[in-house]
Amino acid sequence: MAASMREVAALAGVSMGTISNVLNRPDMVSEATRERVEAAIAQLGFVRNDAARQLRAGQSRMLAVVVLDARNPFFLDVAAGAESVADAHDLLMVLVGSGESEERENRQLRLLMEQRVQGILLSPVGENIPMLDKLDRQGTPVVLLDRGSRTPGRSSVAVDDIGGGRLAARHLMDLGHRNLVYVGGPESIRQVRDRRAGALDAVAESASTRMSTIWSESLTIEAGAKAAGRILDMSDQPPTGAVCANDLLALGVLQEYIQRGLRVPDDLAIVGYDDIDYAAGAAVPLTSVAQPRAELGHAAAELLLEQVNNQSGNEFRQLTFTPSLVVRGSTDHGWRGASA
């Protein structure tokens, strides 16, 4: 059983108030008394119950990052950027995955609210987030992550996904592809819709180009492999170029094509999105629209702490990063490690 403060006080021969001062206001205690208390703490193996203390004070020393899929390397990199800010402020950061489920997302937000977290970075599943109003009323700041805010009263950090989708489609069109397919889903996720909208914008610039859409059930490698099967079922003028809503989908499409004895980019040129580390290491290195992953998390966490510490002056900011295209072998026969 863990030692209590009362046991520490008895061993050190001091009052409970002195123990509290050593733990919370050590400058108020003489050096000799402090050393005696610290020796008793070490001997008994006492560990302070910060959780209980912080909950009594009405707030924990925890930040939360709620993302669509905690297994996705993109979100792991984003979370690492946020964690660097939390570390610098002696805060604990927890990463939570909603599994692309609105029901699960709302349940997690409720639990985080009950834990009195200092603030939340949220990459939401859909447009309707019922828990936001409750978090606002409780005074828990929420910054949208990888999703732009549509209201001036909410800070957000995002990437221009419409521009990113446009980059991907134009790249394929510049290579001569005129029959494209967009692979992405669920449709409820705004980033998925925005990347498709950008690709459609590029396609609309060419009367000779068309783009079909395959909605996937998730943003995973497995869903990408299933989508590849559906692409191959398009026997009437099959697509020669694919724009995928993220790299995991793109890697699934690529993997399925290779397993069926087909060639990338000869039979299908593929562009992913996010430029995760696995993209460059794929069997055929993946062309991808790059997002500044760690910078997204770092910037979002800084905005969140400005609100936590009342430094924002009730001003909310919406930051938007510009994506870039990294060209590799999944679209370029002559790829030699160049970027564009």
Side-chain angles (χ1 to χ4, degrees):
M1 180 181 292
S4 67
M5 283 180 61
R6 192 173 301 281
E7 290 171 312
V8 173
L11 181 60
V14 298
S15 68
M16 290 282 287
T18 299
I19 300 297
S20 178
N21 284 336
V22 170
L23 293 174
N24 301 302
R25 296 174 294 277
D27 54 302
M28 298 181 63
V29 183
S30 70
E31 183 176 355
T33 300
R34 187 169 64 249
E35 289 177 352
R36 194 162 72 252
V37 170
E38 289 172 350
I41 287 173
Q43 180 177 334
L44 293 172
F46 170 77
V47 178
R48 66 189 295 169
N49 189 348
D50 270 352
R53 180 176 60 86
Q54 290 161 8
L55 288 175
R56 285 195 297 271
Q59 191 177 62
S60 72
R61 293 192 59 77
M62 183 189 303
L63 301 179
V65 182
V66 181
V67 299
L68 298 172
D69 184 355
R71 300 166 301 174
N72 187 330
F74 167 75
F75 286 117
L76 292 177
D77 290 342
V78 171
E83 188 173 33
S84 68
V85 177
D87 282 347
H89 291 81
D90 197 26
L91 297 171
L92 174 67
M93 193 210 78
V94 295
L95 176 64
V96 180
S98 66
E100 300 171 8
S101 164
E102 292 187 25
E103 179 183 355
R104 183 175 176 185
E105 175 185 271
N106 284 326
R107 184 170 67 252
Q108 291 166 336
L109 290 175
R110 184 182 69 252
L111 290 171
L112 291 170
M113 183 175 71
E114 291 172 357
Q115 291 297 313
R116 299 293 197 272
V117 295
Q118 287 205 18
I120 299 172
L121 300 179
L122 173 64
S123 180
V125 177
E127 300 298 327
N128 183 32
I129 313 169
M131 286 300 300
L132 279 184
D133 288 341
K134 295 180 180 179
L135 287 161
D136 288 342
R137 287 196 296 271
Q138 181 177 275
T140 303
V142 177
V143 170
L144 297 185
L145 177 63
D146 193 36
R147 163 80 72 84
S149 174
R150 289 183 170 172
T151 65
R154 178 81 55 196
S155 288
S156 64
V157 176
V159 171
D160 178 7
D161 282 318
I162 292 177
R166 194 180 294 119
L167 268 179
R170 279 181 179 165
H171 172 62
L172 291 172
M173 292 164 64
D174 288 344
L175 292 172
H177 296 280
R178 291 295 175 263
N179 189 3
L180 308 181
V181 61
Y182 179 82
V183 178
E187 192 175 357
S188 61
I189 298 173
R190 190 195 302 172
Q191 296 94 311
V192 171
R193 299 196 308 272
D194 284 352
R195 293 166 193 178
R196 177 176 178 268
L200 285 171
D201 283 350
V203 168
E205 297 171 0
S206 169
S208 61
T209 304
R210 68 174 189 171
M211 188 179 81
S212 54
T213 299
I214 291 178
W215 293 111
S216 60
E217 60 190 21
S218 64
L219 291 163
T220 62
I221 290 176
E222 294 78 11
K226 290 180 182 178
R230 293 171 63 186
I231 294 172
L232 290 168
D233 287 340
M234 296 179 179
S235 55
D236 180 26
Q237 292 185 313
T240 63
V243 176
C244 298
N246 78 347
D247 283 344
L248 297 183
L249 283 172
L251 290 170
V253 173
L254 189 153
Q255 177 179 302
E256 185 68 15
Y257 262 67
I258 291 175
Q259 287 183 349
R260 295 195 185 201
L262 298 169
R263 297 169 299 168
V264 174
D266 301 78
D267 294 304
L268 185 72
I270 304 170
V271 182
Y273 205 109
D274 292 337
D275 194 33
I276 61 176
D277 290 341
Y278 296 148
V284 179
L286 182 66
T287 293
S288 185
V289 177
Q291 303 195 75
R293 305 180 298 275
E295 291 88 337
L296 278 174
H298 192 279
E302 287 193 328
L303 285 183
L304 185 63
L305 285 180
E306 285 180 8
Q307 294 182 38
V308 167
N309 297 321
N310 296 317
Q311 295 172 338
S312 63
N314 292 323
E315 292 185 5
F316 300 94
R317 290 187 286 160
Q318 292 81 39
L319 305 182
T320 303
F321 288 82
T322 301
S324 59
L325 183 69
V326 181
V327 178
R328 299 191 181 96
S330 69
T331 60
D332 184 3
H333 284 285
W335 177 73
R336 293 293 183 274
S339 298

